[in-house]
Amino acid sequence: MGDSFDSAWWRGYAAQLRAIADARRPDRLAIMPLDETLKALGKQTELDEGVYDVPLEGIVGTVARAGDFDREFRPRNRALRDRWEYLTRTTADLPPVRLVRLSDMFFVEDGHHRVGIARARGTRTIRARVRWISTVACALRCLTLADLPSKTAERMFLERVPLPDDVRLGLWLDDPADWFRLADSAEAWGFRRMLAGRPVRSREELAGSWWREEVKPVLDQVRQRGLCPPPRDIQAYLSYGLDHA
C-alpha cells in the first residue's frame, strides 16, 4: 500500500542512498527548519492568511520536527509508525493542517503526518490554515540548507542596499562574498554621486538610483552586444559591470 508507514520510510531511505551514490549534495533531501531559514532571510511582518488549499510540493519545511521527516515528508523516525498508521485508517474529519508561508515555501506547524500521508498518496493539495511571514531576502522553494549562507549574505546586502520588491525577486548569487562586493560597490557609487552634488536622502533612494542609473545601463549594453549574459540580472552585472568596470 502506497501510504503505509513502511513503504514511506523505505522510499525515504532509498532516496538517501541514491543521493549518496550519485554524489549529490545530501542536504537536498533535508527538510528546511523554519528558525534557521528565517534567521538567514530576515523576518519582517506577519499576517494570518486564513484557510485555503496549498500545493503539497511547496511544503518543504517544518517549524520544530526536522529530525522526524525528510524534505518530501517521508518519515525518518520509526517511532512515528503508530500515529501514521492510525491516520491512514481514520475516517474522521480532520482540521486543516497549520502552515507558515515564506513566499512560495511552506513550513508545517501542525499536521506533519497528514502532509506525509497526502504526499504518499499522490495528492496534489492539502487544506491548511496559513500564517504568512514576509522576509528581507526572497524565499524560494528550491532553497536547501547549503544555500542559507548565501541567503544570509543576500539579506545583509539588502539591509545596506534595500532594492525594490520587484527587483528582489530576481536576485540570486551562489558565493556569499559576491554580495559584500556588490554592497561595497553600490555604496561607493552613492558616495561618488554625493561628491558630484547629487545627494541621496535614504538608503532606499540610493538603492533605486544605483539600480536604474548604474546596473540597468550595464545590462542594456550586455544585451546589445549579444554577450549571452547569465539568466539573472544581478549575475550579469557582477560578470560584465562590476568585474569589468
Side-chain angles (χ1 to χ4, degrees):
M1 184 176 179
D3 63 2
S4 72
F5 180 87
D6 284 336
S7 177
W9 190 91
W10 279 110
R11 282 199 299 271
Y13 183 67
Q16 289 180 306
L17 294 179
R18 286 195 300 272
I20 295 171
D22 293 344
R24 292 197 297 252
R25 290 185 342 205
D27 70 330
R28 291 193 181 278
L29 295 176
I31 197 169
M32 295 296 290
L34 179 64
D35 55 351
E36 291 183 40
T37 306
L38 271 180
K39 183 178 179 181
L41 300 179
K43 181 178 178 179
Q44 291 183 311
T45 57
E46 188 171 330
L47 176 69
D48 184 352
E49 291 190 311
V51 177
Y52 58 90
D53 290 335
V54 170
L56 279 161
E57 65 179 1
I59 305 176
V60 296
T62 179
V63 173
R65 301 190 64 172
D68 287 340
F69 298 87
D70 70 8
R71 191 182 179 94
E72 296 187 11
F73 282 82
R74 294 170 294 214
R76 298 180 59 196
N77 183 350
R78 288 187 174 275
L80 305 177
R81 176 191 296 274
D82 290 347
R83 177 66 174 167
W84 180 287
E85 293 185 345
Y86 166 76
L87 289 173
T88 61
R89 295 191 303 267
T90 186
T91 58
D93 290 333
L94 299 173
V97 299
R98 293 203 308 271
L99 305 177
V100 176
R101 179 173 75 86
L102 311 182
S103 189
D104 63 355
M105 300 177 74
F106 292 87
F107 298 75
V108 180
E109 188 171 19
D110 179 68
H112 294 75
H113 293 80
R114 281 172 281 162
V115 169
I117 292 168
R119 293 201 65 154
R121 289 173 172 170
T123 308
R124 293 190 175 183
T125 63
I126 192 167
R127 199 72 172 166
R129 173 169 289 280
V130 181
R131 176 164 54 99
W132 170 67
I133 298 177
S134 65
T135 55
V136 177
C138 186
L140 303 172
R141 186 183 302 175
C142 62
L143 285 183
T144 68
L145 291 173
D147 297 317
L148 294 186
S150 179
K151 297 302 285 188
T152 298
E154 178 186 335
R155 184 254 304 163
M156 296 173 71
F157 164 81
L158 289 170
E159 290 169 347
R160 294 169 61 183
V161 188
L163 292 167
D165 288 344
D166 60 331
V167 176
R168 296 184 187 205
L169 292 175
L171 299 180
W172 184 279
L173 291 171
D174 292 323
D175 188 348
D178 286 338
W179 289 112
F180 297 110
R181 293 174 60 211
L182 281 171
D184 290 343
S185 176
E187 290 176 345
W189 178 89
F191 180 69
R192 293 193 297 271
R193 172 184 162 131
M194 293 178 67
L195 291 178
R198 300 174 59 211
V200 291
R201 292 164 292 183
S202 66
R203 285 191 173 273
E204 286 76 14
E205 183 180 345
L206 164 65
S209 298
W210 173 71
W211 190 263
R212 290 190 307 273
E213 300 175 26
E214 166 65 13
V215 178
K216 294 297 285 184
V218 170
L219 298 177
D220 291 341
Q221 291 177 19
V222 169
R223 294 183 180 110
Q224 289 171 6
R225 295 175 183 174
L227 295 176
C228 190
R232 295 182 183 271
D233 287 349
I234 201 68
Q235 294 171 312
Y237 176 73
L238 186 70
S239 298
Y240 295 99
L242 183 59
D243 286 348
H244 299 127

